[in-house]
Amino acid sequence: RTEAVVSTQSTGGAYGGLRPVELTDGGSLEAMKAALQIESNRIKAIVLINPNNPTGEFYPKGHVLQVLELAKKYGLHVIIDEIYFLSIFQEDDFESCLSYSMEWPDPERTHFIWSFSKDFAMSGARCGVIYSKSEMVHRAYNEKMCFYHFVPGLVQRMLCNLLKDRDWVEQFLLESRHRLQTHLKIVTEKLDALDIPYILPRGTLYVWADFTPIFKNKPSDVEAEDIFYGLIKEGVYIPSAKGFNGPDPQFYRIVFAVPERTLRISMDRLGSFVVQYKGKTNLIP
């Protein structure tokens, strides 16, 4: 999914006054062009999440460059969020936009962001990276933002020492990807047994699953919420599409970056919930 970010009069909400316009068809250029034609005066930037959240898919270099060319044509900024790019299962298939930054059509309006929080499981560190060739962005950060988002000295020291140990980093990432793939298999095997379809991720920490077979009626936000809270009562937290501003209420995002024992218990509870909710005892794997 690709999103075009539109400025609005709203000052609240999860997007801080910005409204995302979802571009379907896998973020196709035709869908993007259509959105630009409808909202051409209000779209200020394109946010490209690569690898994608919540599907776990990613866009190839050619597609990203086409998006950048289109953004240049309309004078838009592009923010490329690669927060999961070290958690790709097949590394050879993914190219970070930094590897071809010299090919960016509009370097002044192209910006890269990444954080330690996902790939290194360090959400508490609150430390990320902004890579931009824009003097305006540099000035805004140095003069304004750094005073409110300064990373504590002890955290900086810790992360610097971590990155200096190249051997440890390499081994950590190899082990992390191995565990993620192992845990992904645990989830997909359970979903297959429950006849729940899903988008098989090529990276990241989650599976985007289609719970349509669980719904008693045509998928709706009301029943999606019932299922969400039903799972909560079973001791399983699986957020629905509504939490990601998704248009399809039947989709849920299952995170598998947890201890294996916790994951297996959660999948067993998911199976029990499905049986109880649908009343189909033959679904017990």
Side-chain angles (χ1 to χ4, degrees):
R1 185 175 68 175
T2 312
E3 289 183 342
V5 178
V6 183
S7 63
T8 68
Q9 297 300 315
S10 172
T11 57
Y15 287 85
L18 298 178
R19 178 169 62 85
V21 175
E22 183 174 349
L23 305 176
T24 55
D25 300 326
S28 70
L29 290 177
E30 291 305 315
M32 194 173 293
K33 289 175 183 177
L36 288 170
Q37 290 173 358
I38 296 171
E39 304 274 11
S40 59
N41 293 326
R42 297 198 295 162
I43 292 179
K44 304 301 180 185
I46 296 171
V47 179
L48 189 66
I49 304 173
N50 194 28
N52 183 264
N53 182 3
T55 67
E57 264 291 352
F58 53 78
Y59 307 113
K61 174 183 175 180
H63 184 92
V64 174
L65 288 175
Q66 287 180 310
V67 171
L68 295 178
E69 287 284 1
L70 185 63
K72 180 181 179 181
K73 176 182 177 181
Y74 285 89
L76 303 176
H77 286 265
V78 179
I79 301 167
I80 304 176
D81 181 351
E82 294 188 3
I83 197 168
Y84 297 100
F85 91 96
L86 294 177
S87 298
I88 295 294
F89 304 145
Q90 293 99 12
E91 285 185 272
D92 295 341
D93 293 341
F94 181 79
E95 292 182 83
S96 169
C97 68
L98 293 181
S99 68
Y100 50 90
S101 61
M102 298 303 293
E103 300 177 50
W104 292 355
D106 190 356
E108 281 289 313
R109 291 191 178 93
T110 304
H111 321 285
F112 165 92
I113 59 176
W114 176 83
S115 170
F116 285 86
S117 61
K118 308 301 183 183
D119 292 329
F120 284 91
M122 299 177 69
S123 298
R126 298 297 182 189
C127 183
V129 173
I130 300 174
Y131 178 86
S132 175
K133 298 182 180 182
S134 169
E135 288 298 326
M136 180 181 66
V137 171
H138 292 178
R139 187 166 60 252
Y141 186 82
N142 291 331
E143 295 178 1
K144 303 291 184 181
M145 291 180 63
C146 66
F147 291 104
Y148 302 101
H149 299 277
F150 185 76
V151 179
L154 288 175
V155 174
Q156 292 186 47
R157 180 72 176 270
M158 176 188 69
L159 295 177
C160 283
N161 288 337
L162 181 152
L163 293 176
K164 285 178 182 178
D165 192 340
R166 299 293 183 88
D167 291 338
W168 182 89
V169 169
E170 182 177 348
Q171 290 302 313
F172 172 84
L173 293 175
L174 284 173
E175 178 64 21
S176 174
R177 284 189 285 266
H178 170 71
R179 293 190 186 187
L180 288 174
Q181 287 181 287
T182 300
H183 288 199
L184 170 61
K185 185 177 180 181
I186 293 172
V187 173
T188 55
E189 286 179 348
K190 176 62 69 172
L191 294 177
D192 288 338
L194 295 171
D195 292 323
I196 297 175
Y198 51 87
I199 297 175
L200 186 65
R202 299 167 71 186
T204 70
L205 320 176
Y206 38 75
V207 175
W208 193 231
D210 182 355
F211 277 27
T212 298
I214 298 177
F215 281 71
K216 297 177 180 178
N217 305 295
K218 181 180 178 180
S220 65
D221 288 336
V222 174
E223 189 172 2
E225 191 167 304
D226 289 342
I227 291 173
F228 170 75
Y229 284 109
L231 287 167
I232 290 290
K233 289 181 180 179
E234 289 292 319
V236 185
Y237 176 78
I238 303 178
S240 66
K242 187 176 182 180
F244 304 93
N245 290 278
D248 304 310
Q250 70 270 25
F251 279 93
Y252 291 74
R253 193 186 75 165
I254 303 174
V255 176
F256 49 80
V258 296
E260 183 175 338
R261 180 174 180 274
T262 300
L263 184 63
R264 291 188 182 278
I265 291 173
S266 299
M267 290 299 96
D268 287 343
R269 291 177 178 177
L270 171 62
S272 297
F273 170 80
V274 171
V275 171
Q276 294 171 18
Y277 190 77
K278 293 291 290 184
K280 294 183 178 179
T281 55
N282 63 317
L283 283 178
I284 299 178

